[in-house]
Amino acid sequence: MAQGSSGLTLQQLRYFIDVAAEGSISAAADLLFVAQPTMSAAMKELEARVGRALLVRSARGVTLTPDGAEFLGYARQVVEQVALLEQRYLGRAPSRRLLGVSTQHYSFAVDAFVRMVKDSGAAEYEFSLRETRTWDIIEDVRTLRSEIGILYRNEFNRRVIDKLLRDSGLVFHPLFLAEPHIFISRGNPLAAQERVTLDDLAELPRLTFDQGVNNSFYFAEEILSTLSSKQEIRVSDRATIFNLMIGLGGYTISTGIISDELDPAIVAIPLDVDERIEIGWIDHAAIPLTELAQRYLAEVRAVVAGFGVEVLG
């Protein structure tokens, strides 16, 4: 890559990648042990050289412009290819592997993450897996805190979710269609049934994942969120919801895919409703996936297929 006054430098690309990842010029400067004014000047010079605004600056940090998101995709490809060349021909050590994933509370996403980490073969890595709220998943991917998000759509929330994704420059990629199931304790009397109905659930506590300040029905992690329930408990994490299934006999509605290794005390029973859950992953429309992100998605597909579910796409 050209190093002259009119060209781009690898250092600028690396700086830009870290600024985008941190969402802050000062945080990226601290990470790289560079003075904040130096980093700020480097970003302004980069924008001047490409002739486009790449960053939106505010008191809270920086976000990418549409041009910035596209530029980031190319910058990552260049830096990754240079790293491969240096490893092969200069004997450099492999670079630190990075990947962020944000997801609704699905054990298959965790199972795939475990497989990806074990198979990565990286001597050094920095991965993040955030089981979090629907709104936060979209924000994480929009701001590049995570490269991939995993969430669901159905006929009820599709219009709202799709508009929010479009406005954020993100794309939804279907993974599989799931028949709704309830998750309950293996000790629950309903665990002996082949199927359950909504009437069967009328006297049980309904357990749902709290959506915080964005607690709209459209952002609920569970289908049928508008139906009333005599007893309802909102929780923030999967361990708590499973403990409440065991301790209080409660239930939640999900995909039916659950790991016996990770969640041995919980069982999935089909729910007799005329609904389908479309699970998919989201990413930036203008940014190609890294090799590690593609590897993670391959593991997700393998885990899902292992449960006999047809994988889409």
Side-chain angles (χ1 to χ4, degrees):
M1 174 161 275
Q3 299 288 321
S5 60
S6 61
L8 303 177
T9 69
L10 281 172
Q11 185 182 65
Q12 286 175 322
L13 298 184
R14 288 169 174 145
Y15 281 0
F16 181 74
I17 290 169
D18 283 321
V19 167
E22 295 297 318
S24 165
I25 290 176
S26 60
D30 290 343
L31 181 69
L32 299 173
F33 304 102
V34 175
Q36 192 274 336
T38 300
M39 181 67 76
S40 182
M43 292 302 95
K44 290 180 180 178
E45 182 181 0
L46 177 63
E47 290 176 307
R49 289 190 178 187
V50 300
R52 303 180 187 186
L54 304 177
L55 300 170
V56 177
R57 296 160 175 82
S58 70
R60 294 183 299 172
V62 296
T63 56
L64 295 175
T65 66
D67 284 334
E70 182 179 12
F71 185 85
L72 178 64
Y74 288 112
R76 280 178 168 167
Q77 291 180 61
V78 171
V79 170
E80 287 176 2
Q81 290 300 313
V82 169
L84 290 174
L85 286 170
E86 291 177 342
Q87 290 170 35
R88 182 170 180 84
Y89 296 106
L90 301 182
R92 299 280 175 85
S95 59
R96 190 177 180 88
R97 308 304 298 275
L98 303 173
L99 177 67
V101 176
S102 293
T103 177
Q104 291 176 331
H105 300 77
Y106 300 128
S107 63
F108 70 82
V110 179
D111 198 354
F113 197 85
V114 170
R115 294 188 187 188
M116 182 273 298
V117 173
K118 287 182 176 179
D119 294 341
S120 68
E124 295 186 19
Y125 57 74
E126 185 177 329
F127 300 139
S128 68
L129 176 64
R130 281 169 43 82
E131 284 193 344
T132 189
R133 299 161 175 164
T134 303
W135 177 276
D136 292 337
I137 293 169
I138 295 172
E139 276 296 288
D140 282 354
V141 179
R142 184 185 70 82
T143 60
L144 297 174
R145 181 175 186 178
S146 292
E147 187 173 351
I148 292 172
I150 297 178
L151 45 73
Y152 96 93
R153 297 187 307 192
N154 69 346
E155 290 305 315
F156 175 71
N157 72 2
R158 180 184 302 271
R159 182 177 299 177
V160 171
I161 294 296
D162 284 354
K163 183 180 186 305
L164 184 56
L165 293 178
R166 283 195 306 272
D167 292 346
S168 301
L170 307 180
V171 181
F172 182 95
H173 308 269
L175 270 170
F176 64 94
L177 292 175
E179 177 186 4
H181 287 63
I182 63 165
F183 286 173
I184 53 176
S185 163
R186 290 186 181 276
N188 191 304
L190 293 181
Q193 297 187 196
E194 291 188 2
R195 302 183 70 85
V196 297
T197 67
L198 292 176
D199 288 340
D200 292 329
L201 305 176
E203 302 302 321
L204 300 183
R206 181 169 68 182
L207 310 174
T208 61
F209 287 106
D210 178 59
Q211 296 297 320
V213 295
N214 298 293
N215 198 29
S216 161
F217 291 130
Y218 296 108
F219 295 123
E221 193 167 325
E222 305 81 18
I223 65 169
L224 306 174
S225 57
T226 59
L227 294 182
S228 61
S229 177
K230 293 180 182 179
Q231 304 168 333
E232 182 152 355
I233 302 174
R234 294 189 180 92
V235 303
S236 61
D237 63 90
R238 204 152 43 90
T240 299
I241 210 169
F242 287 166
N243 287 338
L244 293 178
M245 289 176 195
I246 297 169
L248 294 178
Y251 74 93
T252 193
I253 302 175
S254 192
T255 63
I257 298 178
I258 192 165
S259 170
D260 288 338
E261 290 185 15
L262 298 178
D263 309 304
I266 306 303
V267 65
I269 308 295
L271 177 61
D272 194 10
V273 293
D274 188 20
E275 291 269 357
R276 287 296 178 269
I277 304 171
E278 183 183 34
I279 305 294
W281 57 276
I282 63 173
D283 70 340
H284 263 276
I287 303 177
L289 289 179
T290 61
E291 179 185 346
L292 205 55
Q294 294 178 48
R295 184 180 300 175
Y296 172 70
L297 288 173
E299 295 291 0
V300 170
R301 294 185 181 101
V303 170
V304 171
F307 285 87
V309 175
E310 181 183 0
V311 178
L312 303 175

